[in-house]
Every structure is written in C-alpha cells, then in structure tokens.
Amino acid sequence: MRNKNSQMLVRGFLFLGLAFSTQLYAQDRSLATVPHVELDKYLGLWYEIARKPLYFQKECQKDVTARYTINEYGNLAVDNRCIDEQGNELRSLGEGFISNEPYNSKIKVSFLPEAVRWMPFGRGDYWILKVDPQYQMALVGEPKRKYLWVLSRTPHPDEQKVKEYLRYAQTLGFSTKDMIRSEQTEP
C-alpha cells in the first residue's frame, strides 16, 4: 500500500512539474504589443521595407504596400498590393478585426471572400509590436514568430531606424536571418 501511495505522490509531483514548466514556457513565448494604437494615425499607406518569407507573398517582387482604411462595418479594410516578376500589379483585399479594443494593437486579418469573412476561421494574427510616436514606422508580427513585417510611411526610410526595428524584433524572439528586403522603386 505504501509503495502505491509513493508512486501516486511521485506522479503528482511530475504532473505539477510538467504543468509548471509548460506554463513558464508559455510565458516566455508570449509576445508584447504596443500598449495602444491610435487607429486614425495608423490608417493610410504603408510601404513594406522587410518581411519574413511568406507563401502568399511569393509572387511579390517589388513595390509592396498596404493601405488601411475603416470600412462600412467599422473594421479595417486592408488593401495589399505589389508588383510581380512580369510587372503586373497583384492585389489582395482583406478585412481586419480588432481583438483587443480599446488598445487596438491586436488585429485578426482575413483575406477570405467578403461573404464569409464574418466567420472566425481563416484569420491571421496581425499584432503591432512597435510603432514610433509619429506613426512613421511600424513593426508587425504574430505570436508564433513566423511572420514579421517592417513598415514605413516612406519607401526609403533611414537604414539605422530599420536596423533598430529588426534588433527589437530579435529581442522579442524573432529570427531575422531570413528577412527579405522589399524593393521600392518609388523615389
């Protein structure tokens, strides 16, 4: 009887240890966003300066932009554009749903057909991790650290500022070794 109680006690401690270490790992993997985003300042045209390789952007060769506006439902309208190898403009329209109002730093974005965007599946995380006070540069990612973008209001921002944002991304646990620098041909 004593042996059985000892085994149960050991199993209980193992389970608690596993639960505790899992919780610690989950906390380490959490991702901090900016405390608050003023949407009226964030809206408008952004130039993609750098990104982690993405399957849905593989055709984009240059002039990658994102324009954010408010749609008739009060959500973000997303208009992504780029130029492919043949010089054709590619366009992807989506909708962003703020998931942490009134802070506005965590957005779920869907590029599904408009008729089914209201469904919660098929939405990707778009978290604003860093933005300068004048809303001229932003760092956007997601909690699994698979996607990352450096965005700027100008097509050719100061390189030191870009490096600062990439270093910050590294402190958050993002690998920046595979970042693709976006070519912007606009002067």
Side-chain angles (χ1 to χ4, degrees):
M1 182 76 167
R2 185 170 186 202
N3 194 15
K4 189 173 184 177
N5 286 341
S6 296
Q7 286 178 344
M8 288 182 67
L9 187 61
V10 168
R11 285 183 187 150
F13 279 121
L14 285 173
F15 177 78
L16 285 174
L18 180 62
F20 181 72
S21 63
T22 300
Q23 182 63 29
L24 282 177
Y25 177 76
Q27 288 175 348
D28 287 345
R29 298 301 296 167
S30 67
L31 185 60
T33 62
V34 295
H36 182 261
V37 173
E38 293 183 50
L39 281 182
D40 59 329
K41 290 183 179 181
Y42 196 80
L43 298 175
L45 181 65
W46 289 91
Y47 294 90
E48 180 187 272
I49 304 306
R51 72 174 180 268
K52 290 185 75 63
L54 304 170
Y55 69 92
F56 58 86
Q57 279 187 299
K58 66 182 177 188
E59 302 296 321
C60 292
Q61 295 299 309
K62 61 184 178 182
D63 298 331
V64 182
T65 62
R67 183 179 300 276
Y68 306 109
T69 56
I70 299 294
N71 67 17
E72 64 270 23
Y73 308 112
N75 297 318
L76 286 178
V78 181
D79 184 353
N80 290 340
R81 297 178 189 213
C82 70
I83 304 296
D84 69 9
E85 277 185 16
Q86 290 76 36
N88 300 313
E89 182 181 74
L90 304 178
R91 190 173 182 197
S92 183
L93 300 175
E95 188 170 7
F97 304 87
I98 296 170
S99 60
N100 70 335
E101 288 183 289
Y103 308 107
N104 306 326
S105 59
K106 295 180 181 180
I107 302 166
K108 293 281 194 180
V109 178
S110 173
F111 290 95
L112 293 173
E114 190 173 352
V116 295
R117 282 189 198 146
W118 60 271
M119 295 182 189
F121 65 85
R123 295 180 182 178
D125 288 313
Y126 180 98
W127 289 14
I128 302 168
L129 310 175
K130 183 176 175 80
V131 65
D132 71 301
Q134 292 77 35
Y135 286 73
Q136 295 302 300
M137 186 167 281
L139 182 70
V140 178
E142 52 79 43
K144 293 180 183 174
R145 293 162 176 81
K146 187 174 179 181
Y147 307 123
L148 181 69
W149 295 269
V150 176
L151 305 175
S152 173
R153 295 291 189 181
T154 63
H156 307 287
D158 177 65
E159 184 60 25
Q160 287 307 108
K161 189 136 179 153
V162 174
K163 288 180 180 178
E164 171 194 327
Y165 274 61
L166 291 173
R167 280 191 301 272
Y168 182 73
Q170 290 173 327
T171 69
L172 297 175
F174 285 91
S175 171
T176 59
K177 293 177 184 169
D178 59 347
M179 293 293 288
I180 295 171
R181 291 295 189 112
S182 303
E183 178 187 351
Q184 297 289 345
T185 59
E186 187 174 314

